[in-house]
Each structure stands twice: as C-alpha cells, then as structure tokens.
C-alpha cells in the first residue's frame, strides 16, 4: 500500500475542520496516512479529556495515532535558536541537504522561516528507522514549497499540493507572483476546491493540466434538518414565540461583512441574528447593533465547537454569508459554511464573490446577492421570512445538493483515485 505524508500547518485546528474531515475520510477509506503538523495546537484541542470541544473526530477516527507534531515554535526568537541547535549536527553529517533547504529562490518563505531545518531532522530520523513515504500531500501552497524541497531531497517520489484560498489569492501579492513557480514544476498534481481558485492558479502560472477541482467536504450525517415549528431561540426575544432566526459562522473580521448583515437585519421585526465566531471586530459589531437599536436581537456568542454549531444550524431559519472582497486580494474561495448550512437543511443567502456561487443553486438552494449591499440581503430575508414553504423547499434542495456533491466520504474516494493516477499504483485501497 502506498504511504502518504500529509503536510499541514496546525492539526487539528478548530478553524480548519475541513482538513479533519478529509483526513478522517481518507483514513476510513483505507489510506496509509501520516499527518505532519508543523505547529502544535493548544493541548485542549487534542486532549481526550476535551473530546467534546469540536475535535472528537480526531480521536474516534484514529487520526491521533498517525499525527506527528514537529513542535516548531511560533516565536521567531525561539524558532531561531532551536533551529540553530538542530542545524549544527545536520551541517556536519548532511550539509548538502541542509544547505539546499535555504534556497529561497526555489522554496521561498519556507527556506527563510527555517521550517526545512526542523523537517529535515524529522525526515532523517524516520529514514533511519526505515520509514519512507511514497507521496507527499501538502495542504496550502506554502507547504507545497516544503513538498518541493522534500522531493528534491529524495524523501518522496510524488507531490500533490492543495490550495485553499488565501494561499493563492493573497500570498503571491505579498511575496511575489513567482513564489510558487518552482513548486508548480515539481508538483505532480494540484487540487483546489472551486473553479474560481483554478482560474487564479492558472493566472499565477500553474499548468491547468495539473489541476483537479476537488472541493473540501463535510459529513452530512452530522447535521439534522430542523423540524418546522420547533425552532427555539437560545436567547429570549420579548413578544416572539417562534422567531425567524438568521445565523452566520466565521471569524469576526471586516472581510466577513457582518456589519452589512447587521444593517440588513436591524430594521426587521421578529428576527434574531447570531454570529458564531471570535475576532477583533466583535466589540465594534456589538456597538453597531446597539446604535441601530438591535442589541436585543443581534448576538455574538463567541466561538462554538462542533456540537454547539450543529445545534445552532438546527434551529436556524436562514444562513447568511455576507463576506466581501478584501484589499489584499482575499475573498471566499469555497465557503464551506455554505455546505454545512445546506446539510442542515436551511437556505443560504450569500455574497456573490469568489467561489461561493459554485456551492449554491441560486433560487433553488438559496440566493446570491451583491457584496456590501444590506438592502439586497434584507430583500431576500423578508422573502424567506414571509414564506415558510419556500424555506422548506430550498432547505430540502440544499441538503440534497450538498449530499450529492460535498460528502467527504465520496470526495475521499476521488482523492484516492488522484493519488493512484499520480503514483501509478493500482492497489491503493490495499
């Protein structure tokens, strides 16, 4: 069976449930995985005493037994001194491999941030034990630079790189359009979640023939469609027995567009709006809601773990994704929360930016609206508020659409087929 090494930044990460879903699905499909996490997450994120914190799947799927933490310090000073200590013996015994890792023309920021030093020490230790991987799958373009270095050093024979959004939308703007040029040549395959990202990759110089569109998926069985007439508010709403509940989920940042959503919801009667997530804009948005007279109907309850989010989806009437295009080039590459909401059987109203439209059948599973347009958002909310039958129909359509196209088990099979094509192995399932 082919052995696969998956390169990640931090695993598991509460904000990157899509990686956990994919790794669990691949493992369930029989893939021989090792997941390498560069920076260890907080202990609570993977401790068994906190399995209910949103990463229970990490343990139940057995990923905890195949994940390796490199413990690379986030602090630059600590990272430098630990890398220096690791580099001394490497320079004596493996100078060519060590020095190759400092080639910033080929490996860009990965050469400059010293990650190759920590990775080289790990790979040599595994090599000494007789462990070797056939294929490296790097998640995020930056880690693809590490994968290219590994391939050059002979630590793997095939390289697959998955882009998720900011890595192609913002990273080249910051570090130069040619940051991935060498990696594109060394990669055997590149995947992304939407055709929108595919176009961005080809514009950046990645050969289209190397690119496969494979969305990030969800587990539809984790979400239950709400029962009509049983929606209950988590917070009291005076005078309203069965409120129309609008939900958003995401980091509380300006680029998520929540200010426009609050302006849309504030004048509406009988509406609760919840924004689940944490971020620096939280206080500003609470102040805005108060200024608009909606402090008793707009709630920012902070970050929520899986079981809490699933409950919030189940009681929501409509999901709202009001994201905007950021000045640094970022915009929603896929918007996986759209698929989560669809799996929960609720319609979505979303800004028509990035790759969001590819996950919505406009007018059938939800509505697309122009970005930064509270009036357009309010128009669709009013339509859905007044027509429970339309909500039910759209919610049913959304669940069917998501189940058909975004089930991570089915997507894992496609991922394994890609590995097989890349490697030439015909017995990847064992």
């Amino acid at each position: 069976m082919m052995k696969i090494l998956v390169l990640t930044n931090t695993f598991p990460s509460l904000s990157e449930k899509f990686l956990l879903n994919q790794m669990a699905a691949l493992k369930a499909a029989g893939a021989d995985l090792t997941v390498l996490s560069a920076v260890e997450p907080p202990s609570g994120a993977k401790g068994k005493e906190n399995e209910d914190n949103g990463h229970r799947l990490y343990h139940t799927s057995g990923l905890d037994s195949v994940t390796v933490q490199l413990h690379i310090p986030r602090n630059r000073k600590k990272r430098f001194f630990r890398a220096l200590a690791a580099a001394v013996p490497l320079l004596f015994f493996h100078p060519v491999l060590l020095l190759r890792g400092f080639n910033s023309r080929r490996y860009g920021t990965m050469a400059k941030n010293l990650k190759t030093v920590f990775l080289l020490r790990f790979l040599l230790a595994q090599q000494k034990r007789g462990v070797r991987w056939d294929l490296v799958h790097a998640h995020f373009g930056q880690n693809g630079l590490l994968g290219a270095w590994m391939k050059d050093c002979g630590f793997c024979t095939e390289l697959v790189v998955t882009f998720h959004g900011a890595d192609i939308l913002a990273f080249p703007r910051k570090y130069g359009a040619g940051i991935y040029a060498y990696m594109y040549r060394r990669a055997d395959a590149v995947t992304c979640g939407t055709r929108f990202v595919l176009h961005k990759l080809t514009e950046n110089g990645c050969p289209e023939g190397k690119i496969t569109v494979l969305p990030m998926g969800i587990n539809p069985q984790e979400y239950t469609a709400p029962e009509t007439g049983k929606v209950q508010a988590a917070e009291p709403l005076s005078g309203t027995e069965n409120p129309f509940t609008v939900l958003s989920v995401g980091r509380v940042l300006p680029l998520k567009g929540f200010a426009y959503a609050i302006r849309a919801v504030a004048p509406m009667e009988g509406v609760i709006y919840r924004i689940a997530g944490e971020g620096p804009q939280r206080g500003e948005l609470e102040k805005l809601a108060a200024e608009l007279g909606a402090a008793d109907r707009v709630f920012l309850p902070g970050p929520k773990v899986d079981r809490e989010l699933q409950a919030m989806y189940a009681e929501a009437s409509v999901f709202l994704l009001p994201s905007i295009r950021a000045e640094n080039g970022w915009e929603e590459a896929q918007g996986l929360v759209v698929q989560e909401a669809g799996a929960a059987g609720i319609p979505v109203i979303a800004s028509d930016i990035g790759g969001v439209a590819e996950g919505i059948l406009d007018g059938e599973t939800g509505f697309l609206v122009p970005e930064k347009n509270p009036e357009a958002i309010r128009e669709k909310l009013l339509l859905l508020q007044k027509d429970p039958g339309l909500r039910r129909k759209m919610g049913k359509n959304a669940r069917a659409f998501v189940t058909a196209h975004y089930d991570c088990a089915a997507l894992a099979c496609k991922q394994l087929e890609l590995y097989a094509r890349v490697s030439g192995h015909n017995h990847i399932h064992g």
Side-chain angles (χ1 to χ4, degrees):
M1 181 183 294
M2 181 170 57
K3 296 177 69 65
I4 303 158
L5 178 66
V6 181
L7 297 181
T8 67
N9 297 322
T10 301
F11 186 82
S13 171
L14 190 61
S15 63
E16 295 174 357
K17 176 69 183 298
F18 54 89
L19 286 183
L20 187 58
N21 284 340
Q22 186 183 87
M23 296 307 105
L26 284 170
K27 196 170 187 302
D32 186 355
L33 296 178
T34 299
V35 182
L36 193 63
S37 173
V39 182
E40 186 174 6
S43 59
K46 58 188 183 64
K48 288 189 176 181
E49 69 278 10
N50 291 307
E51 285 185 351
D52 198 33
N53 72 349
H55 290 305
R56 187 173 184 179
L57 181 62
Y58 178 67
H59 302 288
T60 58
S61 65
L63 286 169
D64 53 352
S65 65
V66 298
T67 299
V68 178
Q69 303 289 343
L70 279 187
H71 303 283
I72 299 178
R74 294 178 183 271
N75 180 276
R76 290 185 179 183
K77 187 175 181 180
K78 288 183 179 180
R79 180 180 296 195
F80 173 78
F81 283 109
R82 289 191 189 178
L84 183 63
V88 171
L90 293 173
L91 183 61
F92 185 79
F93 292 104
H94 303 280
V96 175
L97 295 179
L98 177 67
L99 295 176
R100 178 178 288 157
F102 294 122
N103 187 337
S104 60
R105 286 187 60 189
R106 288 185 173 185
Y107 315 120
T109 55
M110 294 297 107
K112 296 177 181 179
N113 67 19
L114 305 177
K115 281 190 176 181
T116 56
V117 177
F118 294 91
L119 186 56
L120 178 59
R121 181 174 61 177
F122 166 77
L123 293 170
L124 289 170
Q126 296 304 303
Q127 190 178 70
K128 190 174 182 179
R129 294 172 51 200
V131 177
R132 188 180 184 282
W133 292 276
D134 303 294
L135 182 146
V136 167
H137 186 169
H139 278 276
F140 299 98
Q142 301 94 312
N143 287 326
L145 300 171
L146 281 179
W149 169 77
M150 284 185 62
K151 191 172 181 181
D152 288 348
C153 292
F155 288 114
C156 67
T157 52
E158 284 88 32
L159 172 63
V160 175
V161 182
T162 293
F163 282 81
H164 291 282
D167 45 3
I168 187 60
L169 299 174
F171 200 74
R173 286 194 180 198
K174 184 175 181 179
Y175 295 102
I179 186 70
Y180 298 128
Y182 182 73
M183 183 269 287
Y184 290 148
R185 295 199 298 271
R186 296 299 284 148
D188 297 282
V190 173
T191 76
C192 57
T194 59
R195 292 198 61 80
F196 164 74
V197 176
L198 181 150
H199 293 316
K200 294 296 182 180
L201 286 166
T202 56
E203 287 175 1
N204 189 242
C206 184
E208 187 169 354
K210 286 191 175 185
I211 307 173
T212 299
V213 176
L214 276 177
M216 288 293 103
I218 51 101
N219 295 302
Q221 64 274 15
E222 290 183 359
Y223 304 89
T224 303
E227 296 182 57
T228 304
K230 293 190 177 181
V231 176
Q232 299 294 325
E235 295 85 2
L237 183 66
S238 177
T240 306
E241 295 180 358
N242 190 23
F244 181 75
T245 307
V246 181
L247 174 66
S248 291
V249 177
R251 287 277 290 160
V252 186
L253 301 169
L255 54 83
K256 290 296 183 178
F258 295 134
Y260 299 96
I262 291 174
R263 292 186 183 279
V265 170
M268 298 179 65
E269 296 182 1
V271 176
I272 280 182
Y273 180 34
R274 298 193 189 94
I275 302 170
E278 189 57 272
Q281 203 189 15
R282 185 175 177 183
E284 178 185 333
L285 294 179
E286 289 174 335
K287 181 180 178 181
L288 175 63
E291 291 173 350
L292 295 173
D296 62 336
R297 296 184 291 108
V298 175
F299 302 95
L300 287 91
K304 299 295 180 181
V305 297
D306 284 353
R307 62 176 179 79
E308 295 170 317
L309 284 177
Q310 288 157 13
M312 294 179 82
Y313 279 121
E315 75 172 7
S317 308
V318 174
F319 187 85
L320 182 54
L321 182 68
S323 299
I324 65 175
R325 294 178 176 89
E327 292 182 0
N328 69 351
W330 180 92
E331 53 187 308
E332 295 282 359
Q334 178 179 328
L336 193 64
V337 289
V338 170
Q339 282 76 59
E340 292 178 356
I346 54 177
V348 174
I349 299 172
S351 298
D352 189 4
I353 64 170
V356 174
E358 297 176 46
I360 296 176
L361 301 177
D362 192 23
E364 296 182 37
T365 66
F367 295 108
L368 294 167
V369 296
E371 64 168 333
K372 302 181 181 180
N373 194 324
E375 292 76 19
I377 294 173
R378 189 181 308 121
E379 177 188 343
K380 299 305 182 185
L381 284 173
L382 285 169
L383 177 61
L384 291 169
Q385 183 185 26
K386 294 175 181 178
D387 194 340
L390 179 61
R391 293 204 306 270
R392 286 192 294 270
K393 180 181 178 181
M394 282 190 158
K396 184 178 179 180
N397 291 343
R399 186 169 174 85
F401 179 69
V402 168
T403 301
H405 298 283
Y406 294 94
D407 188 325
C408 59
L411 291 169
C413 291
K414 293 182 179 180
Q415 186 72 66
L416 291 173
E417 290 171 1
L418 176 64
Y419 291 159
R421 291 198 302 271
V422 165
S423 67
H425 289 246
N426 295 316
H427 303 287
I428 193 165
H429 294 284

